[in-house]
Each structure stands twice: as structure tokens, then as C-alpha cells.
Amino acid sequence: VTGASFVVFNGALKSSSGFLAKSSIVEDGLMVQITQETMENLRQALRDKKDFKITCGKVDAGDVKEYVDICWVENEEKTNQG
């Protein structure tokens, strides 16, 4: 689990790169590089206020994967106030 001050979603990852998605820590935030198709699906999930999971790593990496989970919460009192 990684806490971050901000998240950047970059939709320029090419399908031919061999990656499902890539995540990296940038300063005190997180950058997630995703394909254009995943970006479209993420945008729709945000519009619909639905949870969304991004699987990161190489396409042929087997069971070793990282995940970026976008989750909507009911109680906002427990979230970051800043």
C-alpha cells in the first residue's frame, strides 16, 4: 500500500510495449502509465463513480503483478482532509 499526495494517469502507453500498465513513484505522488483503452475505461468508471482496478506489470510476467485500485468510499470523514 502506497500513500500519495497526488496521482497522475498517463494514457500514452503503447500496447506494443509489453506492459499492461506501469506505476512509479514521482516525488510524493504516483504516476500510472496506461494504454489509451484503459484510460477510456477509467474515465467511464470515474463518471459512473465505480471502483476501478489497474493491473500493472509485463504482459507475460505470470502471477507477479502490482495493482492500482481506485475506490469510492461512503464515509468521507476518514479520508485526507487536505
Side-chain angles (χ1 to χ4, degrees), residues 17-22 55-66:
S17 70
F19 284 90
L20 298 166
K22 293 165 85 175
T55 304
C56 300
K58 290 198 171 211
V59 173
D60 58 359
D63 291 341
V64 180
K65 301 266 190 273
E66 292 180 5

Side-chain angles (χ1 to χ4, degrees), residues 14-45:
K14 302 291 181 201
S15 299
S16 61
S17 70
F19 284 90
L20 298 166
K22 293 165 85 175
S23 64
S24 55
I25 296 173
V26 179
E27 295 180 14
D28 60 341
L30 179 69
M31 180 170 68
V32 185
Q33 297 175 19
I34 56 179
T35 62
Q36 190 172 13
E37 179 184 351
T38 303
M39 179 66 88
E40 291 171 13
N41 293 335
L42 172 59
R43 285 181 179 157
Q44 189 59 51

Side-chain angles (χ1 to χ4, degrees), residues 2 9-10 13 28 32 46-47 52 69 80:
T2 302
F9 295 101
N10 178 342
L13 185 68
D28 60 341
V32 185
L46 292 172
R47 283 187 210 106
F52 193 79
D69 290 320
N80 185 352

